[in-house]
């Protein structure tokens, strides 16, 4: 029963923070829709096979938006919230960086991840005159399998970025470079990998390929992707817990001063 209460409490906290962030979330969703459509439109429109381009390029929208959001939430937790004293309240409520990101994930996934994907897919389909029935090709099992991998990737990236911000005075510049790299890597076909299993080294890549696989457009074989889900979730969660714990140790040692 204690586990059920903890999960329910986390969801209530996540919902509360979602409401607090609602305006910025809607703004982020529209911004993501705009940029993803502009980013994808030339590739899809000038492709010799627009439908295949849609199937390949739109699923990563979910993974990219979630990874970028996790970086933003991490920055918010370790810097912006400490300026007004909100971080003290969160820590008194035992809401660590890890729990802060985990609690909001269900709402982040639907609003910032899935909604821009669906809207950009429908918008591009309409522009190209392609019936959106391709969305019903979705393999629900593979799509569902991508969600825990995406959540573990989300937690790992947030924890690592939070630790980077506390330890590196050049964190803001480094974080921008990391974001650009993730956008490029998660959208490009992972044929650049010497070995397919090396996708495990890039948080979010296995999840993105599972999302592609749910529409039959994956590059990494489906059987290998399925076999990588458990080690991906376990390793990402363990590393994220370790990094988050180091963040907490830093706060215990130095306080919650804002880093600029």
């Amino acid at each position: 029963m204690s586990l059920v209460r903890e999960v329910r409490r986390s969801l209530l906290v996540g919902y509360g923070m979602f409401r607090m962030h609602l305006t910025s979330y809607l703004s982020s969703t529209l911004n993501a829709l705009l940029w993803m459509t502009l980013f994808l439109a030339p590739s899809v429109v000038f492709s010799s096979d627009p439908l295949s381009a849609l199937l390949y390029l739109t699923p990563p929208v979910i993974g990219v938006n979630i990874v970028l959001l996790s970086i933003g939430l991490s920055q918010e937790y370790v810097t912006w919230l400490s300026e007004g004293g909100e971080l003290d309240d969160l820590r008194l409520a035992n809401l660590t960086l890890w729990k802060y990101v985990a609690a909001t994930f269900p709402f982040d996934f639907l609003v910032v991840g899935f909604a821009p994907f669906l809207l950009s897919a429908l918008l591009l389909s309409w522009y190209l005159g392609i019936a959106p029935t391709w969305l019903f090709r979705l393999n629900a099992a593979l799509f569902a399998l991508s969600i825990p991998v995406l959540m573990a990737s989300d937690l790992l990236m947030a924890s690592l970025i939070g630790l980077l911000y506390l330890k590196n005075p050049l964190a803001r510049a480094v974080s921008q470079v990391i974001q650009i790299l993730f956008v490029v890597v998660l959208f490009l076909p992972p044929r650049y990998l010497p070995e397919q299993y090396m996708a495990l080294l890039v948080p979010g890549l296995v999840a993105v390929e599972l999302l592609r696989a749910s529409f039959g457009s994956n590059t990494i074989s489906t059987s290998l992707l399925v076999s990588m889900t458990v080690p991906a979730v376990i390793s990402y969660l363990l590393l994220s817990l370790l990094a988050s714990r180091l963040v907490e140790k830093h706060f215990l040692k130095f306080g919650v001063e804002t880093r600029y």
Side-chain angles (χ1 to χ4, degrees):
M1 288 298 293
S2 60
L3 178 60
V4 174
R5 283 196 299 269
E6 185 65 25
V7 171
R8 186 172 64 178
R9 176 179 177 272
S10 296
L11 289 174
L12 286 172
V13 169
Y15 176 66
M17 290 191 292
F18 169 74
R19 290 182 60 185
M20 181 180 70
H21 289 97
L22 186 58
T23 302
S24 61
Y25 273 23
L26 291 176
S27 172
S28 297
T29 300
L30 293 174
N31 186 58
L33 172 63
L34 172 65
W35 282 108
M36 291 305 172
T37 303
L38 291 175
F39 182 73
L40 299 178
S43 300
V44 174
V45 170
F46 294 108
S47 171
S48 58
D49 187 354
L51 179 57
S52 294
L54 274 174
L55 291 170
Y56 189 84
L57 290 174
T58 50
V61 169
I62 300 175
V64 168
N65 285 345
I66 290 295
V67 169
L68 295 183
L69 179 62
S70 71
I71 293 174
L73 287 174
S74 180
Q75 293 169 351
E76 177 182 64
Y77 185 90
V78 300
T79 60
W80 307 323
L81 291 181
S82 61
E83 184 179 23
E86 295 91 343
L87 187 55
D88 292 299
D89 296 331
L90 292 177
R91 288 172 54 74
L92 285 172
N94 195 31
L95 202 65
T96 63
L97 172 59
W98 198 93
K99 291 180 180 178
Y100 183 76
V101 176
T104 60
F105 178 81
F107 309 98
D108 298 342
F109 177 81
L110 291 173
V111 178
V112 183
F114 186 74
F117 154 71
L118 183 61
L119 292 172
S120 59
L122 290 173
L123 184 62
L124 287 170
S125 295
W126 169 79
Y127 181 78
L128 293 167
I130 298 174
T133 51
W134 62 271
L135 287 164
F136 298 106
R137 298 183 186 182
L138 174 71
N139 183 315
L142 290 173
F143 190 89
L145 198 60
S146 71
I147 296 175
V149 185
L150 190 56
M151 181 175 181
S153 303
D154 182 43
L155 290 166
L156 177 58
M157 283 304 302
S159 302
L160 291 176
I161 291 295
L163 189 60
L164 174 68
Y165 259 70
L166 294 174
K167 300 293 186 181
N168 192 328
L170 299 177
R172 289 183 181 274
V174 175
S175 175
Q176 294 297 323
V177 173
I178 290 173
Q179 292 181 60
I180 294 170
L181 287 175
F182 264 92
V183 171
V184 173
V185 170
L186 295 184
F187 270 109
L188 284 177
R191 299 186 184 92
Y192 55 82
L193 294 173
E195 298 291 343
Q196 290 186 329
Y197 67 83
M198 292 179 69
L200 285 167
L201 300 177
V202 184
L205 186 54
V206 174
V208 165
E209 274 294 282
L210 280 167
L211 290 167
R212 285 192 179 114
S214 66
F215 290 98
S217 59
N218 49 305
T219 299
I220 299 174
S221 67
T222 304
S223 58
L224 180 58
L225 284 171
V226 172
S227 68
M228 286 195 292
T229 54
V230 173
V233 170
I234 292 175
S235 59
Y236 294 167
L237 286 180
L238 289 176
L239 288 171
S240 67
L241 286 168
L242 174 61
S244 182
R245 190 165 184 178
L246 292 174
V247 168
E248 295 306 309
K249 284 186 176 181
H250 182 94
F251 284 143
L252 288 172
K253 185 175 182 180
F254 299 105
V256 292
E257 300 91 345
T258 304
R259 288 294 303 272
Y260 284 108

